Structures are given as structure tokens and as C-alpha cells.
Amino acid sequence: MQKTGTLLITGGAGYIGSHTVKHLLKQGEKVVVVDNMVFGHREALDLDRVTLVEGDLGDAELMDRVFAEHQPEAVLHFAAYAFVGESVEQPLKYYQNNVTAPLALLEAMKKHGTRRFIFSSTCATYGNPQYMPMDENHPQVPVNPYGASKLMLERILLDCGVAWGLQSVFLRYFNASGGDLEGEIGEDHTPETHLIPRILMAAKGEIEHITVFGTDYATSDGTCIRDYIHVNDLARAHALALNHLRNGGETTAVNLGTGRGFSVREILATAEAVTGRPIPVSYGPRRAGDPPELVANPAKAKEVLGWEAEYKDPRQHIESAWKWIAGPRGGRYRSSGQ
Ligand code: UDP
């Protein structure tokens, strides 16, 4: 298949964005990253091969310049704030960054004729699960501003499709986890709130213990069940979503998950086995806004994109995350990002 041009990756210096950039470079794609470096890390990118534009998506003048210079064929849009709890406390920050700022990006796409958009959406657009596993027809009733902001952008992209022919793929991620198998790049968030990195930080002694949020859910062992999707599988799905659009595929929404759920206790037990270390645990109350179970029905991803998760065993996720956290960089980039 013909590779038709430069790819513009927003948020490409962040966790999922940087793993996708690495995958796309291996496939011979040409990549320009736009990142405001609030959560991005320069070291997450191979700057010999990637053009990095440090700046904000909401900067209309900058967007116009970037599009004029690089004439991107497609945009892969990762840049967003993604802390659910913070979005409840500071909704305007989320609507500004996740909904308003991308409008300048879309204006530049419209003006410069870029008609392909791959969007990092989320299962948080569904809200509280009404049935399990969740397919793409599940009602979208987000229960926090983060999910609402992602759903709003989905709607905006649909409207741009009608008005000026934008073709989009909404990739609704479940729980992204794991790291690069070569240990070169990984997850470095400040603050780190996600389960697997926090468990591994506890295994390493960086934090005193991990708190399990709730043991009284109506699940097999009382703890929450999630569908953990390896970041490399996410990266591959982006490349396949791009193929879909390059082949003339229609705008569509696709869940990205393994179709299998694991409880917090199961993840803890696996992490103890992988690291060979005891992990100090305390048990706390439920975290607000956590549904008991979130598991994807990934059938449509297979049908439409030819995608299926390769890393279905949480052991693989934990091993690759441990490689990064226990590796020479200790799970941290030296510079930039928060
Ligand atoms: N969790 C936990 N302790 C932590 C972090 C997370 O028990 O320190 C639980 C959380 O309640 C959820 C699951 O682990 O059921 C995954 O949470 P995470 O924050 O990694 O992802 P989210 O589901 O919020 O996207």
C-alpha cells in the first residue's frame, strides 16, 4: 500500500503517543510531533528521525504554520488531559484542553486539506456499563468531564465529516498499560495514578504501599475488574486505523481492549510473581467514579481494522512495565514533562 505523506502526531512525546511514534517509524512513516511538553518528554522521541514542534494545539497561528510547512496527510491526536478525578474538580481545564484547543487544529486541517483523523478516545465516553462486555453501540453517557470532553470531540469530528469530508477513526481505549519491550521508553506520569506503575513503584520501594480502592464490589474477589491493553497493541491499532482511512474506509468507532478482564488482586498477584518481590498493600474505600467492571468487546476492531490484541496476558504488561521501572532509567525521563 502507498504511504502518502507526513503524519502529524499531537501529544507524540507522551506515553501512548511516543510508543505509537516508535511503531510508525519502524514502518517507515514520516512523523512530525506537536507537543506542548506539559506531560511530554523529549527523551521519549528519537529526535534524529522525528521533527518535534513544541507548542500548543490551541495556537491557531502555529497550527497554520505547521500545516503550511509539512502538509500532513493525516493527524493522530493523542494530546489531552486524562485524570478523571481532576476533571471532576477542574472541568473547565478539561473542556479547554480536550475540546476547545483541538478546534484550532481542525481549522488548520480544514484549510490545508488534511482529511484523515485518528482520535484517542476512551471507554469513559460510555459511562456506567449497562452490559458486559461493552461494544461500540453501548449508550454513551459519560459520568465525568474527562469522558464528556472526549465524547464532545467525537461529535465535533462527525460534524466536520458532514461539513467538509473529514474521515475519522475513534479509538476507544480501555486500560492502557505496559511499556516498550526494549525498555527504551515507558510510562512516566507525575503524579502517577495508574494501578500497574503504582504497584511496581511499591515493589521497588519508591512508595510505601499500594492502596486497593475497594474490596466490596460485586466481582469474583471484591475488587474492580479492568481490561488492560498493552501500549504496543494500541500503537499497532493506530497504524491499522490509518490503513483503514488510506484504503477509503468510512468514519468509524472501535473499542481497543483484549476482551478479558482482570481484578486488582489478580494484577497484584501477577506483579509479585513477575518481580519476585512482596508488594505492601493497604485496603481502602472505593474511588469515586470507578465502575466495578470495564471489559471491551473487541470484535469490531478485528472486523474493521484486522486488529486483535497480541498481549493478552497481564504478565506481559507487567514484565514490560517492570523492565522500564526497574531498568537503568528507573522509570523516569531526566527532563521535561511534569
Ligand atoms: N486502583 C487501585 N489502586 C490504585 C490505582 C488504581 O486499586 O492505586 C484500581 C482502580 O480502582 C481501578 C483499577 O485499579 O479499578 C485501574 O485503575 P487505573 O487508575 O489504573 O485506571 P482507570 O481504570 O482509572 O483508567
Side-chain angles (χ1 to χ4, degrees):
M1 190 201 331
Q2 203 190 345
K3 295 200 191 331
T4 37
T6 299
L7 305 175
L8 186 80
I9 320 267
T10 75
Y15 169 45
I16 301 169
S18 63
H19 285 77
T20 304
V21 167
K22 185 169 174 178
H23 180 77
L24 292 169
L25 289 176
K26 279 188 181 166
Q27 293 204 317
E29 301 282 1
K30 189 160 183 275
V31 166
V32 174
V33 167
V34 178
D35 200 303
N36 63 9
M37 309 312 279
V38 170
F39 289 107
H41 305 274
R42 295 177 67 86
E43 298 156 88
L45 294 170
D46 177 354
L47 292 173
D48 292 335
R49 300 171 70 198
V50 173
T51 304
L52 172 62
V53 178
E54 291 191 33
D56 208 275
L57 295 181
D59 181 341
E61 226 171 85
L62 175 70
M63 288 301 107
D64 191 37
R65 249 187 297 140
V66 168
F67 275 74
E69 184 178 347
H70 298 284
Q71 296 292 330
E73 172 218 341
V75 170
L76 284 76
H77 177 54
F78 295 89
Y81 291 151
F83 295 117
V84 170
E86 185 186 61
S87 80
V88 176
E89 307 284 322
Q90 299 184 57
L92 299 181
K93 177 175 173 181
Y94 277 69
Y95 292 123
Q96 172 58 42
N97 194 60
N98 295 1
V99 184
T100 307
L103 297 181
L105 169 71
L106 287 165
E107 282 290 358
M109 291 182 71
K110 179 176 166 229
K111 176 174 167 189
H112 293 273
T114 305
R115 294 290 180 267
R116 294 173 182 157
F117 199 99
I118 314 290
F119 177 39
S120 301
S121 190
T122 166
C123 63
T125 60
Y126 295 127
N128 290 323
Q130 297 178 16
Y131 56 84
M132 204 62 59
M134 300 164 93
D135 61 23
E136 292 79 0
N137 295 321
H138 188 287
Q140 287 180 291
V141 191
V143 292
N144 51 61
Y146 166 64
S149 71
K150 291 283 186 171
L151 180 57
M152 283 178 200
L153 193 56
E154 286 195 3
R155 173 60 201 251
I156 290 167
L157 296 173
L158 288 176
D159 291 342
C160 292
V162 173
W164 45 273
L166 181 70
Q167 299 292 315
S168 307
V169 181
F170 312 152
L171 297 175
R172 297 187 186 140
Y173 307 168
F174 281 65
N175 283 61
S177 63
D180 177 36
L181 300 186
E182 288 150 14
E184 284 180 354
I185 53 178
E187 187 170 7
D188 177 2
H189 291 125
T190 304
E192 185 52 79
T193 61
H194 293 118
L195 181 67
I196 292 176
R198 282 191 69 79
I199 287 177
L200 296 179
M201 285 159 75
K204 213 180 145 193
E206 271 179 33
I207 56 174
E208 245 168 54
H209 61 260
I210 169 92
T211 303
V212 173
F213 298 143
T215 52
D216 58 350
Y217 285 100
T219 57
S220 49
D221 65 16
T223 63
C224 283
I225 292 176
R226 292 289 179 272
D227 184 335
Y228 294 91
I229 161 127
H230 195 282
V231 67
N232 283 358
D233 278 331
L234 286 179
R236 197 164 44 82
H238 285 78
L240 292 169
L242 185 64
N243 284 350
H244 169 79
L245 294 182
R246 282 175 169 166
N247 291 331
E250 292 292 305
T251 292
T252 194
V254 169
N255 284 342
L256 295 179
T258 64
R260 296 168 60 182
F262 294 90
S263 72
V264 173
R265 286 191 211 270
E266 285 173 320
I267 297 293
L268 269 165
T270 309
E272 288 200 327
V274 167
T275 61
R277 301 187 187 187
I279 293 160
V281 178
S282 82
Y283 295 92
R286 295 179 177 197
R287 184 172 69 177
D290 267 346
E293 187 174 357
L294 288 172
V295 177
N297 177 341
K300 189 175 168 191
K302 188 166 183 184
E303 183 193 314
V304 176
L305 304 182
W307 177 91
E308 200 177 349
E310 192 181 327
Y311 305 98
K312 291 186 179 166
D313 183 345
R315 209 185 158 91
Q316 298 165 306
H317 301 218
I318 293 166
E319 276 169 0
S320 57
W322 186 234
K323 193 168 200 157
W324 167 244
I325 288 178
R329 284 180 144 156
R332 294 280 173 211
Y333 293 105
R334 278 187 308 275
S335 62
S336 67
Q338 289 192 0

